[in-house]
Amino acid sequence: MNVFESSIIITLQNNIFSGLFVGQNLLTLKEVDSTNNFLKNLLSNSKPLPEGTVIMAETQFAGRGQQNNKWHAEPGKNLTFSVLLKPSFLAIADQFDLTRAISLGVYDALYPLLGDQLKIKWPNDIYYGDKKLGGMLIENLLQGNQLKSAIIGIGLNINQENFPDGAGNATSIKQILQKDYDLQAILADICNNIEAYYLNLKAGKTDLIRNTYLTRLYGFNEIKRFKVSEVEFEGKIIGVKENGLLVINQNNKESTYNLKEIKFLNN
Ligand code: BTN
């Protein structure tokens, strides 16, 4: 099936995006399996797509989350979109800096609405207090030792009022602030902020990005419960390695973990 047959395109216009490129080429789909899949297919099947292209969907019927989880979002009420970036300036070893930059962009866009309870939960979840507002699925396409392109899929719960029992600790801006928000306006703010951090990354301001990421990190320097290989323990997040591994201090011993190894408990 051709990528265009799987979805109805309802708009190709953009006028509230004030950045240089992120969101300037915006495609809004009525329905699609996953905006990440759609963007990936578009990349491989069509002429070169401009960096900053955004695919947004009203409904995703097979949204994908991290670690092979599904991403559920009530149709028309939430943000589900993917951004195309071409970070060929970034070495593969530094690809977690892109995760940091994107997380910070989303954070800064939402901070004026949500304030200090907003956090980035390692590696790239967006949290309000102990609840999950959204997350991202970043799929990097490599060429040699460099990143050719990155498909940044972002899901954020905006106007959804209720979540199924299985949705765990999900929340939405509507649940928090009791108000409905304009999805495109929030999308535009996110795109503008992502662009600003991405340009900082491109300009080599890696220390700024790494340090700022830590200041926004959920549970940083706080005692939290974790589980590794079925063993539960208390520890403190004391850092994140250049390559993105989480650094935890447990009884004055430092250990590093990847996402598959460690589970946060109580949230
Ligand atoms: C997670 O927290 O597990 C990541 C969720 C990422 C969901 C977004 S929604 C838009 C894009 N398309 C997908 O299929 N997934 C991402």
Side-chain angles (χ1 to χ4, degrees), residues 33-37 60 62-67 69-71 79-82 124-125 132 134-137 152-156:
D33 55 348
S34 146
T35 54
N36 270 33
N37 295 353
Q60 275 192 144
R64 295 187 289 118
Q66 283 175 14
Q67 301 187 287
N69 287 322
K70 292 198 163 64
W71 184 256
L79 277 174
T80 48
F81 65 99
S82 301
N124 52 15
D125 281 345
K132 180 162 169 165
M136 41 197 103
L137 180 66
I152 320 278
I154 300 177
L156 284 170

Side-chain angles (χ1 to χ4, degrees), residues 9-112:
I9 297 169
I10 54 173
T11 171
L12 251 169
Q13 60 75 49
N14 159 38
N15 47 21
I16 55 167
F17 292 69
S18 60
L20 295 170
F21 60 102
V22 179
Q24 291 304 311
N25 183 32
L26 170 67
L27 243 74
T28 307
L29 309 175
K30 193 93 191 134
E31 190 177 76
V32 73
D33 55 348
S34 146
T35 54
N36 270 33
N37 295 353
F38 186 90
L39 187 50
K40 213 180 291 172
N41 288 335
L42 211 53
L43 257 186
S44 52
N45 294 335
S46 73
K47 61 181 166 64
L49 277 178
E51 182 170 38
T53 292
V54 173
I55 310 293
M56 177 188 184
E58 282 188 8
T59 303
Q60 275 192 144
F61 52 83
R64 295 187 289 118
Q66 283 175 14
Q67 301 187 287
N68 285 328
N69 287 322
K70 292 198 163 64
W71 184 256
H72 299 284
E74 217 173 287
K77 297 206 167 171
N78 300 294
L79 277 174
T80 48
F81 65 99
S82 301
V83 182
L84 172 67
L85 292 175
K86 300 183 180 177
S88 52
F89 57 87
L90 207 57
I92 290 175
D94 293 331
Q95 57 188 301
F96 194 74
D97 287 326
L98 184 64
T99 297
R100 289 181 174 97
I102 304 298
S103 307
L104 287 168
V106 175
Y107 181 98
D108 278 18
L110 299 181
Y111 186 82

